[in-house]
Structures are given as structure tokens and as C-alpha cells.
Amino acid sequence: AEKLGVSDYVSITGFVNRKQVLNLLPQFDVFAFPSYSEGMPNAVLEAMGCGLPIVMTDCEGHKELISDNGFVVPLNGPITEDILQSLLKLIKDPALCIKMGQRSREIATQTFTWKNTAAQYLGLLKTMEIKEVE
């Protein structure tokens, strides 16, 4: 960030505890999640719940999380440059940033609720064949 001259605009926090997350996320404008391998990243869900547009790499979970609320960066290219270009799009277009952030919040609060998650697990369990153990 210092080499690029953007250190006044970028926060690289490293590990933070749960309380710090809840205090930090609402202060951000965008959430970048560069990862080579994930499942369903809770950090992205938390950022979405705080109404942030998302820039993340093409790792597992992105198809369920990112539609019109952010950008997905391919893993097979210049990841740093692609992330930078996605961030610049959002920085240069505050209206887009706000729109994508609002959409993130909608997705998080309407799709990824405990009620929906429980219903999906129950549906999955109903499709399983249960065999008795002798």
C-alpha cells in the first residue's frame, strides 16, 4: 500500500477478534477477500451483513455470495492487478459502491439467515437414507 501510495486509503488489519470485527467492518467502504481456497467464508458474509461491496477471488463460495454485490477476480491471472482494478471501479463510482453494498446487505439478511440455513439442512436430511446399525 505504501509503494502504491494508497496507505491512507487501505486498512490491512491482519487477525482481529470478534469484537474488533464488529467495530471495524462498518468503518470500511469495500471488503476485499483475496484467497486461493475457501469454503463458505464467514468473513465475506459478515462484510455483506454490514452492507459492504465485495471483491473476492474465484475460490469456493463465491457463486453463492457474489452476484450484483461485488466483483469476482479470477485465480488464473494477475490477481493483484485484477483486485486493484475492481477496487478502483468502486472507488471511482461511489454510487456503484453504495448500490453493491446495499445489495450485499439484502443478500446476507434475506438468504443467509439461520432459518434458511436450518431449512436447507432439514431438506438435506430428509433426502438421506437412514440405515439402522445392528
Side-chain angles (χ1 to χ4, degrees):
E2 286 179 13
K3 280 183 183 179
L4 295 173
V6 295
S7 58
D8 290 343
Y9 308 102
V10 175
S11 295
I12 301 172
T13 62
F15 179 80
V16 294
N17 66 39
R18 168 72 63 227
K19 186 175 181 177
Q20 290 170 307
V21 168
L22 297 175
N23 290 328
L24 284 172
L25 282 176
Q27 298 175 33
F28 297 153
D29 296 312
V30 178
F31 188 79
F33 192 76
S35 179
Y36 286 101
S37 178
E38 288 297 324
M40 176 63 70
N42 283 333
V44 173
L45 283 168
E46 290 167 342
M48 290 171 60
C50 288
L52 298 175
I54 308 297
V55 176
M56 72 181 287
T57 47
D58 186 8
C59 59
E60 296 83 4
H62 85 273
K63 290 181 179 132
E64 293 84 2
L65 298 174
I66 309 301
S67 57
D68 54 352
N69 62 317
F71 298 106
V72 177
V73 174
L75 285 171
N76 60 355
I79 295 170
T80 305
E81 181 63 27
D82 289 342
I83 290 173
L84 176 62
Q85 291 306 314
S86 296
L87 292 171
L88 286 173
K89 285 179 191 174
L90 291 166
I91 290 167
K92 291 178 181 179
D93 190 346
L96 177 64
C97 193
I98 290 168
K99 181 179 175 182
M100 285 185 163
Q102 290 171 338
R103 185 66 183 123
S104 277
R105 176 100 173 119
E106 288 172 11
I107 293 168
T109 60
Q110 293 173 10
T111 304
F112 294 99
T113 65
W114 283 113
K115 183 178 179 179
N116 287 348
T117 301
Q120 288 177 3
Y121 276 117
L122 287 173
L124 179 63
L125 288 172
K126 288 178 182 177
T127 66
M128 299 175 73
E129 183 179 326
I130 307 296
K131 294 183 180 183
E132 290 186 36
V133 177
E134 294 180 22

mmCIF file of all heavy atoms in Angstrom, residues 79-125:
data_model
loop_
_atom_site.group_PDB
_atom_site.id
_atom_site.type_symbol
_atom_site.label_atom_id
_atom_site.label_comp_id
_atom_site.label_asym_id
_atom_site.label_seq_id
_atom_site.Cartn_x
_atom_site.Cartn_y
_atom_site.Cartn_z
ATOM 1 N N ILE A 79 -3.689 -11.613 -10.179
ATOM 2 C CA ILE A 79 -4.663 -11.398 -9.111
ATOM 3 C C ILE A 79 -4.556 -9.998 -8.509
ATOM 4 O O ILE A 79 -5.557 -9.310 -8.344
ATOM 5 C CB ILE A 79 -4.503 -12.465 -8.009
ATOM 6 C CG1 ILE A 79 -4.835 -13.835 -8.586
ATOM 7 C CG2 ILE A 79 -5.386 -12.163 -6.808
ATOM 8 C CD1 ILE A 79 -4.488 -14.973 -7.681
ATOM 9 N N THR A 80 -3.345 -9.568 -8.192
ATOM 10 C CA THR A 80 -3.171 -8.256 -7.564
ATOM 11 C C THR A 80 -3.704 -7.156 -8.460
ATOM 12 O O THR A 80 -4.416 -6.259 -8.002
ATOM 13 C CB THR A 80 -1.681 -8.010 -7.245
ATOM 14 O OG1 THR A 80 -1.206 -9.087 -6.443
ATOM 15 C CG2 THR A 80 -1.487 -6.720 -6.501
ATOM 16 N N GLU A 81 -3.398 -7.212 -9.734
ATOM 17 C CA GLU A 81 -3.861 -6.192 -10.678
ATOM 18 C C GLU A 81 -5.381 -6.245 -10.832
ATOM 19 O O GLU A 81 -6.049 -5.211 -10.869
ATOM 20 C CB GLU A 81 -3.184 -6.373 -12.040
ATOM 21 C CG GLU A 81 -3.589 -5.352 -13.075
ATOM 22 C CD GLU A 81 -3.196 -3.912 -12.705
ATOM 23 O OE1 GLU A 81 -2.225 -3.712 -11.970
ATOM 24 O OE2 GLU A 81 -3.898 -2.999 -13.178
ATOM 25 N N ASP A 82 -5.940 -7.443 -10.900
ATOM 26 C CA ASP A 82 -7.394 -7.587 -11.034
ATOM 27 C C ASP A 82 -8.126 -7.064 -9.805
ATOM 28 O O ASP A 82 -9.172 -6.424 -9.919
ATOM 29 C CB ASP A 82 -7.773 -9.044 -11.293
ATOM 30 C CG ASP A 82 -7.370 -9.521 -12.683
ATOM 31 O OD1 ASP A 82 -7.116 -8.670 -13.555
ATOM 32 O OD2 ASP A 82 -7.317 -10.746 -12.885
ATOM 33 N N ILE A 83 -7.583 -7.340 -8.623
ATOM 34 C CA ILE A 83 -8.186 -6.815 -7.399
ATOM 35 C C ILE A 83 -8.106 -5.295 -7.404
ATOM 36 O O ILE A 83 -9.087 -4.609 -7.106
ATOM 37 C CB ILE A 83 -7.511 -7.412 -6.143
ATOM 38 C CG1 ILE A 83 -7.885 -8.887 -6.010
ATOM 39 C CG2 ILE A 83 -7.904 -6.630 -4.885
ATOM 40 C CD1 ILE A 83 -7.151 -9.624 -4.915
ATOM 41 N N LEU A 84 -6.955 -4.768 -7.759
ATOM 42 C CA LEU A 84 -6.765 -3.319 -7.814
ATOM 43 C C LEU A 84 -7.769 -2.679 -8.770
ATOM 44 O O LEU A 84 -8.407 -1.680 -8.431
ATOM 45 C CB LEU A 84 -5.342 -2.975 -8.231
ATOM 46 C CG LEU A 84 -5.030 -1.496 -8.411
ATOM 47 C CD1 LEU A 84 -5.202 -0.736 -7.113
ATOM 48 C CD2 LEU A 84 -3.630 -1.319 -8.966
ATOM 49 N N GLN A 85 -7.934 -3.245 -9.953
ATOM 50 C CA GLN A 85 -8.869 -2.681 -10.932
ATOM 51 C C GLN A 85 -10.304 -2.724 -10.421
ATOM 52 O O GLN A 85 -11.077 -1.784 -10.626
ATOM 53 C CB GLN A 85 -8.747 -3.402 -12.279
ATOM 54 C CG GLN A 85 -7.440 -3.150 -13.004
ATOM 55 C CD GLN A 85 -7.156 -1.666 -13.192
ATOM 56 O OE1 GLN A 85 -8.027 -0.893 -13.591
ATOM 57 N NE2 GLN A 85 -5.931 -1.250 -12.889
ATOM 58 N N SER A 86 -10.674 -3.807 -9.735
ATOM 59 C CA SER A 86 -12.025 -3.908 -9.167
ATOM 60 C C SER A 86 -12.233 -2.863 -8.076
ATOM 61 O O SER A 86 -13.286 -2.221 -8.009
ATOM 62 C CB SER A 86 -12.252 -5.311 -8.601
ATOM 63 O OG SER A 86 -12.210 -6.273 -9.624
ATOM 64 N N LEU A 87 -11.230 -2.686 -7.228
ATOM 65 C CA LEU A 87 -11.321 -1.680 -6.176
ATOM 66 C C LEU A 87 -11.416 -0.276 -6.769
ATOM 67 O O LEU A 87 -12.194 0.558 -6.287
ATOM 68 C CB LEU A 87 -10.128 -1.782 -5.230
ATOM 69 C CG LEU A 87 -10.068 -3.041 -4.368
ATOM 70 C CD1 LEU A 87 -8.736 -3.123 -3.639
ATOM 71 C CD2 LEU A 87 -11.229 -3.094 -3.391
ATOM 72 N N LEU A 88 -10.635 -0.032 -7.813
ATOM 73 C CA LEU A 88 -10.683 1.287 -8.459
ATOM 74 C C LEU A 88 -12.052 1.582 -9.059
ATOM 75 O O LEU A 88 -12.530 2.714 -8.998
ATOM 76 C CB LEU A 88 -9.599 1.399 -9.526
ATOM 77 C CG LEU A 88 -8.175 1.568 -9.005
ATOM 78 C CD1 LEU A 88 -7.159 1.498 -10.153
ATOM 79 C CD2 LEU A 88 -8.027 2.876 -8.238
ATOM 80 N N LYS A 89 -12.695 0.559 -9.630
ATOM 81 C CA LYS A 89 -14.051 0.756 -10.169
ATOM 82 C C LYS A 89 -14.992 1.250 -9.079
ATOM 83 O O LYS A 89 -15.802 2.151 -9.304
ATOM 84 C CB LYS A 89 -14.598 -0.557 -10.751
ATOM 85 C CG LYS A 89 -14.020 -0.947 -12.074
ATOM 86 C CD LYS A 89 -14.609 -2.257 -12.536
ATOM 87 C CE LYS A 89 -13.850 -2.802 -13.730
ATOM 88 N NZ LYS A 89 -14.310 -4.139 -14.121
ATOM 89 N N LEU A 90 -14.873 0.665 -7.902
ATOM 90 C CA LEU A 90 -15.751 1.045 -6.800
ATOM 91 C C LEU A 90 -15.382 2.416 -6.239
ATOM 92 O O LEU A 90 -16.265 3.206 -5.910
ATOM 93 C CB LEU A 90 -15.704 -0.020 -5.698
ATOM 94 C CG LEU A 90 -16.351 -1.348 -6.090
ATOM 95 C CD1 LEU A 90 -15.975 -2.442 -5.109
ATOM 96 C CD2 LEU A 90 -17.853 -1.200 -6.178
ATOM 97 N N ILE A 91 -14.105 2.698 -6.152
ATOM 98 C CA ILE A 91 -13.658 3.990 -5.626
ATOM 99 C C ILE A 91 -14.072 5.122 -6.556
ATOM 100 O O ILE A 91 -14.504 6.185 -6.109
ATOM 101 C CB ILE A 91 -12.132 3.987 -5.426
ATOM 102 C CG1 ILE A 91 -11.764 3.055 -4.263
ATOM 103 C CG2 ILE A 91 -11.596 5.396 -5.168
ATOM 104 C CD1 ILE A 91 -10.283 2.734 -4.170
ATOM 105 N N LYS A 92 -13.975 4.886 -7.854
ATOM 106 C CA LYS A 92 -14.303 5.922 -8.839
ATOM 107 C C LYS A 92 -15.799 6.116 -9.032
ATOM 108 O O LYS A 92 -16.220 7.110 -9.613
ATOM 109 C CB LYS A 92 -13.651 5.595 -10.184
ATOM 110 C CG LYS A 92 -12.144 5.731 -10.166
ATOM 111 C CD LYS A 92 -11.550 5.352 -11.502
ATOM 112 C CE LYS A 92 -10.036 5.475 -11.481
ATOM 113 N NZ LYS A 92 -9.446 5.095 -12.774
ATOM 114 N N ASP A 93 -16.593 5.163 -8.563
ATOM 115 C CA ASP A 93 -18.043 5.236 -8.745
ATOM 116 C C ASP A 93 -18.740 5.013 -7.399
ATOM 117 O O ASP A 93 -19.213 3.909 -7.100
ATOM 118 C CB ASP A 93 -18.479 4.189 -9.768
ATOM 119 C CG ASP A 93 -19.920 4.344 -10.201
ATOM 120 O OD1 ASP A 93 -20.685 5.088 -9.542
ATOM 121 O OD2 ASP A 93 -20.292 3.703 -11.210
ATOM 122 N N PRO A 94 -18.801 6.059 -6.569
ATOM 123 C CA PRO A 94 -19.412 5.907 -5.241
ATOM 124 C C PRO A 94 -20.848 5.393 -5.292
ATOM 125 O O PRO A 94 -21.268 4.651 -4.402
ATOM 126 C CB PRO A 94 -19.354 7.322 -4.656
ATOM 127 C CG PRO A 94 -18.254 8.004 -5.400
ATOM 128 C CD PRO A 94 -18.272 7.408 -6.775
ATOM 129 N N ALA A 95 -21.607 5.762 -6.323
ATOM 130 C CA ALA A 95 -22.990 5.283 -6.433
ATOM 131 C C ALA A 95 -23.014 3.769 -6.614
ATOM 132 O O ALA A 95 -23.854 3.070 -6.027
ATOM 133 C CB ALA A 95 -23.709 5.976 -7.584
ATOM 134 N N LEU A 96 -22.095 3.242 -7.421
ATOM 135 C CA LEU A 96 -21.996 1.794 -7.613
ATOM 136 C C LEU A 96 -21.596 1.120 -6.306
ATOM 137 O O LEU A 96 -22.141 0.069 -5.948
ATOM 138 C CB LEU A 96 -20.986 1.466 -8.717
ATOM 139 C CG LEU A 96 -20.726 -0.009 -8.977
ATOM 140 C CD1 LEU A 96 -21.995 -0.700 -9.481
ATOM 141 C CD2 LEU A 96 -19.587 -0.189 -9.967
ATOM 142 N N CYS A 97 -20.674 1.727 -5.604
ATOM 143 C CA CYS A 97 -20.221 1.199 -4.319
ATOM 144 C C CYS A 97 -21.400 1.097 -3.347
ATOM 145 O O CYS A 97 -21.603 0.062 -2.707
ATOM 146 C CB CYS A 97 -19.122 2.102 -3.764
ATOM 147 S SG CYS A 97 -18.216 1.414 -2.380
ATOM 148 N N ILE A 98 -22.191 2.123 -3.267
ATOM 149 C CA ILE A 98 -23.359 2.132 -2.376
ATOM 150 C C ILE A 98 -24.385 1.096 -2.827
ATOM 151 O O ILE A 98 -24.919 0.328 -2.018
ATOM 152 C CB ILE A 98 -23.981 3.541 -2.316
ATOM 153 C CG1 ILE A 98 -23.036 4.480 -1.566
ATOM 154 C CG2 ILE A 98 -25.361 3.510 -1.668
ATOM 155 C CD1 ILE A 98 -23.393 5.939 -1.687
ATOM 156 N N LYS A 99 -24.646 1.045 -4.126
ATOM 157 C CA LYS A 99 -25.629 0.098 -4.666
ATOM 158 C C LYS A 99 -25.210 -1.350 -4.379
ATOM 159 O O LYS A 99 -26.025 -2.166 -3.939
ATOM 160 C CB LYS A 99 -25.771 0.315 -6.177
ATOM 161 C CG LYS A 99 -26.782 -0.582 -6.840
ATOM 162 C CD LYS A 99 -26.870 -0.280 -8.324
ATOM 163 C CE LYS A 99 -27.797 -1.256 -9.020
ATOM 164 N NZ LYS A 99 -27.874 -1.014 -10.462
ATOM 165 N N MET A 100 -23.950 -1.663 -4.623
ATOM 166 C CA MET A 100 -23.470 -3.025 -4.370
ATOM 167 C C MET A 100 -23.476 -3.343 -2.874
ATOM 168 O O MET A 100 -23.771 -4.466 -2.478
ATOM 169 C CB MET A 100 -22.074 -3.218 -4.950
ATOM 170 C CG MET A 100 -22.055 -3.358 -6.445
ATOM 171 S SD MET A 100 -20.373 -3.718 -7.016
ATOM 172 C CE MET A 100 -20.725 -4.330 -8.658
ATOM 173 N N GLY A 101 -23.164 -2.354 -2.053
ATOM 174 C CA GLY A 101 -23.204 -2.555 -0.607
ATOM 175 C C GLY A 101 -24.614 -2.841 -0.116
ATOM 176 O O GLY A 101 -24.829 -3.730 0.713
ATOM 177 N N GLN A 102 -25.573 -2.107 -0.639
ATOM 178 C CA GLN A 102 -26.974 -2.352 -0.275
ATOM 179 C C GLN A 102 -27.407 -3.746 -0.700
ATOM 180 O O GLN A 102 -28.116 -4.448 0.028
ATOM 181 C CB GLN A 102 -27.881 -1.292 -0.898
ATOM 182 C CG GLN A 102 -27.714 0.074 -0.285
ATOM 183 C CD GLN A 102 -28.443 1.173 -1.045
ATOM 184 O OE1 GLN A 102 -28.748 1.043 -2.236
ATOM 185 N NE2 GLN A 102 -28.698 2.284 -0.382
ATOM 186 N N ARG A 103 -26.967 -4.148 -1.872
ATOM 187 C CA ARG A 103 -27.316 -5.482 -2.370
ATOM 188 C C ARG A 103 -26.673 -6.567 -1.506
ATOM 189 O O ARG A 103 -27.303 -7.594 -1.225
ATOM 190 C CB ARG A 103 -26.884 -5.609 -3.836
ATOM 191 C CG ARG A 103 -27.301 -6.882 -4.465
ATOM 192 C CD ARG A 103 -28.833 -6.988 -4.594
ATOM 193 N NE ARG A 103 -29.143 -8.281 -5.156
ATOM 194 C CZ ARG A 103 -29.930 -9.184 -4.578
ATOM 195 N NH1 ARG A 103 -30.546 -8.908 -3.452
ATOM 196 N NH2 ARG A 103 -30.124 -10.348 -5.136
ATOM 197 N N SER A 104 -25.431 -6.331 -1.062
ATOM 198 C CA SER A 104 -24.775 -7.286 -0.152
ATOM 199 C C SER A 104 -25.615 -7.486 1.106
ATOM 200 O O SER A 104 -25.835 -8.612 1.555
ATOM 201 C CB SER A 104 -23.385 -6.777 0.262
ATOM 202 O OG SER A 104 -22.416 -7.080 -0.691
ATOM 203 N N ARG A 105 -26.061 -6.395 1.661
ATOM 204 C CA ARG A 105 -26.861 -6.464 2.893
ATOM 205 C C ARG A 105 -28.163 -7.236 2.645
ATOM 206 O O ARG A 105 -28.556 -8.067 3.467
ATOM 207 C CB ARG A 105 -27.168 -5.053 3.382
ATOM 208 C CG ARG A 105 -28.058 -5.009 4.585
ATOM 209 C CD ARG A 105 -27.291 -4.793 5.856
ATOM 210 N NE ARG A 105 -28.234 -4.591 6.950
ATOM 211 C CZ ARG A 105 -28.283 -5.399 7.994
ATOM 212 N NH1 ARG A 105 -27.416 -6.376 8.122
ATOM 213 N NH2 ARG A 105 -29.160 -5.198 8.939
ATOM 214 N N GLU A 106 -28.811 -6.972 1.518
ATOM 215 C CA GLU A 106 -30.046 -7.705 1.179
ATOM 216 C C GLU A 106 -29.785 -9.204 1.079
ATOM 217 O O GLU A 106 -30.544 -10.007 1.624
ATOM 218 C CB GLU A 106 -30.610 -7.209 -0.147
ATOM 219 C CG GLU A 106 -31.224 -5.844 -0.095
ATOM 220 C CD GLU A 106 -31.593 -5.327 -1.483
ATOM 221 O OE1 GLU A 106 -31.560 -6.101 -2.463
ATOM 222 O OE2 GLU A 106 -31.906 -4.129 -1.587
ATOM 223 N N ILE A 107 -28.734 -9.578 0.367
ATOM 224 C CA ILE A 107 -28.421 -10.996 0.197
ATOM 225 C C ILE A 107 -28.140 -11.641 1.553
ATOM 226 O O ILE A 107 -28.645 -12.722 1.858
ATOM 227 C CB ILE A 107 -27.220 -11.180 -0.762
ATOM 228 C CG1 ILE A 107 -27.603 -10.758 -2.174
ATOM 229 C CG2 ILE A 107 -26.726 -12.636 -0.738
ATOM 230 C CD1 ILE A 107 -26.418 -10.632 -3.131
ATOM 231 N N ALA A 108 -27.346 -10.967 2.366
ATOM 232 C CA ALA A 108 -26.982 -11.530 3.669
ATOM 233 C C ALA A 108 -28.191 -11.690 4.581
ATOM 234 O O ALA A 108 -28.336 -12.717 5.248
ATOM 235 C CB ALA A 108 -25.927 -10.652 4.344
ATOM 236 N N THR A 109 -29.057 -10.700 4.603
ATOM 237 C CA THR A 109 -30.176 -10.736 5.555
ATOM 238 C C THR A 109 -31.387 -11.508 5.050
ATOM 239 O O THR A 109 -32.237 -11.895 5.842
ATOM 240 C CB THR A 109 -30.618 -9.303 5.949
ATOM 241 O OG1 THR A 109 -31.021 -8.597 4.775
ATOM 242 C CG2 THR A 109 -29.505 -8.565 6.662
ATOM 243 N N GLN A 110 -31.459 -11.745 3.737
ATOM 244 C CA GLN A 110 -32.605 -12.478 3.199
ATOM 245 C C GLN A 110 -32.272 -13.927 2.867
ATOM 246 O O GLN A 110 -33.124 -14.797 2.993
ATOM 247 C CB GLN A 110 -33.142 -11.768 1.958
ATOM 248 C CG GLN A 110 -33.747 -10.420 2.278
ATOM 249 C CD GLN A 110 -34.140 -9.638 1.032
ATOM 250 O OE1 GLN A 110 -34.133 -10.146 -0.074
ATOM 251 N NE2 GLN A 110 -34.474 -8.370 1.222
ATOM 252 N N THR A 111 -31.058 -14.188 2.445
ATOM 253 C CA THR A 111 -30.691 -15.538 2.022
ATOM 254 C C THR A 111 -29.976 -16.327 3.105
ATOM 255 O O THR A 111 -30.266 -17.497 3.330
ATOM 256 C CB THR A 111 -29.783 -15.470 0.774
ATOM 257 O OG1 THR A 111 -30.468 -14.740 -0.239
ATOM 258 C CG2 THR A 111 -29.436 -16.853 0.255
ATOM 259 N N PHE A 112 -29.040 -15.695 3.784
ATOM 260 C CA PHE A 112 -28.189 -16.413 4.729
ATOM 261 C C PHE A 112 -28.640 -16.212 6.171
ATOM 262 O O PHE A 112 -27.861 -15.846 7.041
ATOM 263 C CB PHE A 112 -26.727 -16.000 4.530
ATOM 264 C CG PHE A 112 -26.204 -16.425 3.194
ATOM 265 C CD1 PHE A 112 -26.151 -15.529 2.143
ATOM 266 C CD2 PHE A 112 -25.810 -17.731 2.967
ATOM 267 C CE1 PHE A 112 -25.697 -15.922 0.898
ATOM 268 C CE2 PHE A 112 -25.363 -18.140 1.731
ATOM 269 C CZ PHE A 112 -25.302 -17.233 0.687
ATOM 270 N N THR A 113 -29.915 -16.494 6.417
ATOM 271 C CA THR A 113 -30.461 -16.410 7.766
ATOM 272 C C THR A 113 -30.350 -17.780 8.433
ATOM 273 O O THR A 113 -30.197 -18.809 7.757
ATOM 274 C CB THR A 113 -31.937 -15.996 7.727
ATOM 275 O OG1 THR A 113 -32.687 -17.043 7.078
ATOM 276 C CG2 THR A 113 -32.129 -14.673 6.999
ATOM 277 N N TRP A 114 -30.443 -17.800 9.757
ATOM 278 C CA TRP A 114 -30.422 -19.082 10.459
ATOM 279 C C TRP A 114 -31.628 -19.927 10.049
ATOM 280 O O TRP A 114 -31.527 -21.149 9.913
ATOM 281 C CB TRP A 114 -30.420 -18.855 11.976
ATOM 282 C CG TRP A 114 -29.080 -18.435 12.482
ATOM 283 C CD1 TRP A 114 -28.747 -17.225 13.012
ATOM 284 C CD2 TRP A 114 -27.886 -19.217 12.484
ATOM 285 N NE1 TRP A 114 -27.412 -17.210 13.342
ATOM 286 C CE2 TRP A 114 -26.859 -18.417 13.033
ATOM 287 C CE3 TRP A 114 -27.573 -20.513 12.074
ATOM 288 C CZ2 TRP A 114 -25.560 -18.870 13.181
ATOM 289 C CZ3 TRP A 114 -26.262 -20.962 12.231
ATOM 290 C CH2 TRP A 114 -25.275 -20.154 12.776
ATOM 291 N N LYS A 115 -32.766 -19.295 9.853
ATOM 292 C CA LYS A 115 -33.976 -20.021 9.453
ATOM 293 C C LYS A 115 -33.764 -20.712 8.100
ATOM 294 O O LYS A 115 -34.091 -21.886 7.932
ATOM 295 C CB LYS A 115 -35.155 -19.055 9.380
ATOM 296 C CG LYS A 115 -36.468 -19.715 9.051
ATOM 297 C CD LYS A 115 -37.608 -18.704 9.045
ATOM 298 C CE LYS A 115 -38.910 -19.384 8.701
ATOM 299 N NZ LYS A 115 -40.038 -18.445 8.707
ATOM 300 N N ASN A 116 -33.215 -19.995 7.123
ATOM 301 C CA ASN A 116 -32.960 -20.589 5.809
ATOM 302 C C ASN A 116 -31.916 -21.693 5.887
ATOM 303 O O ASN A 116 -32.046 -22.727 5.228
ATOM 304 C CB ASN A 116 -32.514 -19.523 4.807
ATOM 305 C CG ASN A 116 -33.639 -18.619 4.374
ATOM 306 O OD1 ASN A 116 -34.799 -18.884 4.634
ATOM 307 N ND2 ASN A 116 -33.292 -17.533 3.706
ATOM 308 N N THR A 117 -30.881 -21.472 6.675
ATOM 309 C CA THR A 117 -29.825 -22.474 6.822
ATOM 310 C C THR A 117 -30.397 -23.749 7.445
ATOM 311 O O THR A 117 -30.123 -24.861 6.966
ATOM 312 C CB THR A 117 -28.672 -21.922 7.678
ATOM 313 O OG1 THR A 117 -28.162 -20.749 7.036
ATOM 314 C CG2 THR A 117 -27.562 -22.940 7.832
ATOM 315 N N ALA A 118 -31.187 -23.598 8.499
ATOM 316 C CA ALA A 118 -31.802 -24.762 9.143
ATOM 317 C C ALA A 118 -32.725 -25.501 8.173
ATOM 318 O O ALA A 118 -32.725 -26.736 8.117
ATOM 319 C CB ALA A 118 -32.568 -24.327 10.386
ATOM 320 N N ALA A 119 -33.499 -24.764 7.394
ATOM 321 C CA ALA A 119 -34.402 -25.381 6.422
ATOM 322 C C ALA A 119 -33.617 -26.171 5.375
ATOM 323 O O ALA A 119 -34.041 -27.263 4.971
ATOM 324 C CB ALA A 119 -35.265 -24.315 5.754
ATOM 325 N N GLN A 120 -32.494 -25.641 4.953
ATOM 326 C CA GLN A 120 -31.669 -26.361 3.973
ATOM 327 C C GLN A 120 -31.112 -27.650 4.570
ATOM 328 O O GLN A 120 -31.097 -28.694 3.919
ATOM 329 C CB GLN A 120 -30.543 -25.469 3.469
ATOM 330 C CG GLN A 120 -31.020 -24.364 2.560
ATOM 331 C CD GLN A 120 -29.898 -23.434 2.133
ATOM 332 O OE1 GLN A 120 -28.739 -23.632 2.471
ATOM 333 N NE2 GLN A 120 -30.246 -22.409 1.378
ATOM 334 N N TYR A 121 -30.661 -27.598 5.828
ATOM 335 C CA TYR A 121 -30.158 -28.810 6.478
ATOM 336 C C TYR A 121 -31.272 -29.839 6.648
ATOM 337 O O TYR A 121 -31.070 -31.024 6.405
ATOM 338 C CB TYR A 121 -29.540 -28.490 7.843
ATOM 339 C CG TYR A 121 -28.102 -28.050 7.761
ATOM 340 C CD1 TYR A 121 -27.724 -26.776 8.155
ATOM 341 C CD2 TYR A 121 -27.102 -28.916 7.302
ATOM 342 C CE1 TYR A 121 -26.403 -26.366 8.077
ATOM 343 C CE2 TYR A 121 -25.788 -28.517 7.223
ATOM 344 C CZ TYR A 121 -25.443 -27.239 7.623
ATOM 345 O OH TYR A 121 -24.133 -26.844 7.540
ATOM 346 N N LEU A 122 -32.451 -29.387 7.059
ATOM 347 C CA LEU A 122 -33.577 -30.312 7.214
ATOM 348 C C LEU A 122 -33.954 -30.950 5.880
ATOM 349 O O LEU A 122 -34.236 -32.147 5.809
ATOM 350 C CB LEU A 122 -34.780 -29.598 7.822
ATOM 351 C CG LEU A 122 -34.672 -29.268 9.303
ATOM 352 C CD1 LEU A 122 -35.849 -28.404 9.750
ATOM 353 C CD2 LEU A 122 -34.601 -30.550 10.129
ATOM 354 N N GLY A 123 -33.954 -30.143 4.826
ATOM 355 C CA GLY A 123 -34.238 -30.681 3.498
ATOM 356 C C GLY A 123 -33.217 -31.727 3.084
ATOM 357 O O GLY A 123 -33.569 -32.773 2.516
ATOM 358 N N LEU A 124 -31.969 -31.475 3.376
ATOM 359 C CA LEU A 124 -30.909 -32.423 3.055
ATOM 360 C C LEU A 124 -31.087 -33.713 3.855
ATOM 361 O O LEU A 124 -30.966 -34.822 3.313
ATOM 362 C CB LEU A 124 -29.546 -31.799 3.335
ATOM 363 C CG LEU A 124 -28.324 -32.664 3.079
ATOM 364 C CD1 LEU A 124 -28.224 -33.041 1.604
ATOM 365 C CD2 LEU A 124 -27.062 -31.933 3.508
ATOM 366 N N LEU A 125 -31.374 -33.587 5.134
ATOM 367 C CA LEU A 125 -31.575 -34.771 5.975
ATOM 368 C C LEU A 125 -32.744 -35.619 5.488
ATOM 369 O O LEU A 125 -32.687 -36.841 5.542
ATOM 370 C CB LEU A 125 -31.787 -34.359 7.428
ATOM 371 C CG LEU A 125 -30.539 -33.844 8.156
ATOM 372 C CD1 LEU A 125 -30.924 -33.272 9.519
ATOM 373 C CD2 LEU A 125 -29.504 -34.945 8.303
#
